[in-house]
C-alpha cells in the first residue's frame, strides 16, 4: 500500500503561479481599467488559468483510475496533484476576496467550504478524490465561458462589441451551466450520496468526512441552481421588455 505523502512542492509552486498570474492581470493586462472592475477582472483571468487546465487534468485523472471501488479508493499521486492545483487557486482567490471584497460573504464561505473539502480529502483522509474530481470537472467546465461572460459584462456599457458578446453568450452560457451544474451535478451527487449512505466506503472514508463533504456539495449545488434560475429569469424579463419597446 502506498504511503500517503503529506507535503509535496507542487502546492506552493501552484500557489506562486496563480499569485503571479493575478498580479500580472492586475498591474499589466488591466492597468487601464478603473478601480471598480480591475480586481474582479484580474480574478477572472486567474480563474481562466485554473479552470481549463483543471478540466483536462480531471479528465486524465478519471480516465486513468484503476480501482473498482472508486468513491472510496486511495488517492493516486495525480489525483493529489489535481487537488493541490485547485487548492492553490482557491487560496489565491480567497485572498482576493478578503482584501478587496470582504463584504462578499457568500463567495468567501464558498471558497472556505471548497478548500475544506479539498484539504481534508488530500491531507487528512487520503481517499475519495475520484468523486471530488468528478464534481470539480462538472464545475470547472463551465468556468471558461463564465469568465468570458463576466468580463464582457464589465465592459458592455462602454463597448458595443462587449455588449454584443454578452448578449450572445448569456443564453448559451446559462444553458451550458444548467446542464452541468443543475442536471448532471445533482445526478452525480445523488449517486455519490447513495454510495456513502450504503456504508460501501467502509473505514476508508470516515463518516465525519463524507457527511461534511455531502453537506458542502448539496449546499453548493443548490446555490448554483438558484443562481442560474435567477439569471434565466432576468434574461427572460429583459427579452420581453425589448420586444415591448
Amino acid at each position: 500500500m502506498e504511503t500517503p505523502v503529506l507535503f509535496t512542492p507542487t502546492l506552493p509552486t501552484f500557489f506562486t503561479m496563480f499569485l503571479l498570474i493575478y498580479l500580472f492581470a492586475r498591474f499589466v493586462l488591466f492597468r487601464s481599467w478603473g478601480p471598480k472592475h480591475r480586481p474582479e477582472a484580474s480574478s477572472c483571468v486567474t480563474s481562466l488559468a485554473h479552470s481549463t487546465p483543471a478540466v483536462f487534468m480531471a479528465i486524465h485523472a478519471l480516465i486513468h483510475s484503476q480501482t473498482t471501488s472508486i468513491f472510496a479508493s486511495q488517492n493516486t499521486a495525480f489525483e493529489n496533484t489535481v487537488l493541490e492545483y485547485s487548492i492553490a487557486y482557491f487560496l489565491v482567490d480567497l485572498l482576493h476576496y478578503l482584501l478587496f471584497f470582504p463584504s462578499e460573504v457568500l463567495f468567501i464561505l464558498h471558497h472556505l467550504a471548497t478548500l475544506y473539502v479539498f484539504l481534508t480529502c488530500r491531507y487528512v483522509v487520503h481517499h475519495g478524490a475520484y468523486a471530488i474530481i468528478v464534481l470539480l470537472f462538472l464545475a470547472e467546465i463551465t468556468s471558461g465561458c463564465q469568465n468570458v461572460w463576466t468580463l464582457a459584462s464589465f465592459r458592455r456599457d462602454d463597448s458595443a462589441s462587449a455588449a454584443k458578446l454578452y448578449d450572445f453568450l448569456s443564453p448559451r452560457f446559462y444553458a451550458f451551466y444548467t446542464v452541468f451544474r443543475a442536471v448532471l451535478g445533482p445526478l452525480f451527487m445523488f449517486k455519490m450520496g447513495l454510495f456513502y449512505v450504503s456504508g460501501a466506503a467502509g473505514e476508508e472514508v470516515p463518516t465525519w468526512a463524507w457527511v461534511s463533504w455531502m453537506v458542502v456539495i448539496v449546499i453548493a449545488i443548490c446555490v448554483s441552481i438558484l443562481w442560474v434560475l435567477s439569471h434565466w429569469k432576468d434574461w427572460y424579463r429583459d427579452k420581453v421588455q425589448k420586444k415591448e419597446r
Side-chain angles (χ1 to χ4, degrees):
M1 183 175 178
E2 182 182 352
T3 302
V5 178
L6 296 181
F7 177 83
T8 65
T10 52
L11 179 56
T13 300
F14 289 146
F15 179 86
T16 303
M17 179 190 74
F18 285 120
L19 181 60
L20 289 175
I21 291 171
Y22 180 87
L23 294 174
F24 177 78
R26 182 171 175 80
F27 294 108
V28 179
L29 285 181
F30 303 114
R31 64 183 181 276
S32 62
W33 285 36
K36 181 179 180 181
H37 294 309
R38 192 176 173 191
E40 292 176 286
S42 303
S43 176
C44 283
V45 169
T46 312
S47 178
L48 279 169
H50 166 255
S51 60
T52 303
V55 166
F56 287 105
M57 292 169 72
I59 291 172
H60 178 83
L62 298 175
I63 289 175
H64 290 85
S65 177
Q66 301 292 326
T67 55
T68 54
S69 182
I70 51 179
F71 286 157
S73 60
Q74 183 174 354
N75 302 349
T76 66
F78 191 75
E79 286 173 341
N80 284 335
T81 299
V82 176
L83 292 174
E84 290 171 6
Y85 187 77
S86 292
I87 289 168
Y89 160 71
F90 279 103
L91 284 173
V92 170
D93 209 45
L94 177 62
L95 288 175
H96 155 78
Y97 278 104
L98 291 174
L99 288 173
F100 298 106
F101 303 100
S103 62
E104 294 283 357
V105 178
L106 186 61
F107 281 98
I108 292 172
L109 289 176
H110 168 269
H111 282 30
L112 287 172
T114 303
L115 282 168
Y116 165 78
V117 173
F118 288 165
L119 286 167
T120 52
C121 181
R122 168 64 183 93
Y123 296 108
V124 180
V125 180
H126 306 293
H127 292 74
Y130 180 93
I132 304 302
I133 290 174
V134 170
L135 292 168
L136 175 69
F137 167 81
L138 293 174
E140 294 304 329
I141 197 170
T142 64
S143 290
C145 185
Q146 182 172 359
N147 283 297
V148 174
W149 171 81
T150 302
L151 288 170
S153 73
F154 293 157
R155 305 298 292 179
R156 60 178 169 156
D157 293 334
D158 307 317
S159 168
S161 58
K164 187 175 181 180
L165 177 62
Y166 177 84
D167 291 338
F168 174 79
L169 283 178
S170 290
R172 293 161 179 82
F173 163 58
Y174 300 155
F176 188 44
Y177 190 100
T178 299
V179 169
F180 282 92
R181 300 284 194 103
V183 178
L184 297 179
L187 287 175
F188 184 80
M189 175 191 71
F190 182 71
K191 182 178 180 181
M192 180 180 174
L194 285 180
F195 173 84
Y196 284 123
V197 169
S198 71
E203 298 181 356
E204 302 295 342
V205 181
T207 302
W208 66 264
W210 70 259
V211 169
S212 60
W213 293 353
M214 290 303 301
V215 169
V216 170
I217 292 164
V218 168
I219 293 174
I221 287 179
C222 288
V223 170
S224 294
I225 293 172
L226 291 174
W227 184 88
V228 77
L229 286 176
S230 174
H231 280 76
W232 272 122
K233 181 181 177 182
D234 292 342
W235 176 80
Y236 180 75
R237 184 192 61 220
D238 292 342
K239 188 176 181 181
V240 170
Q241 290 175 350
K242 286 179 182 179
K243 285 184 177 181
E244 292 175 349
R245 291 173 187 170

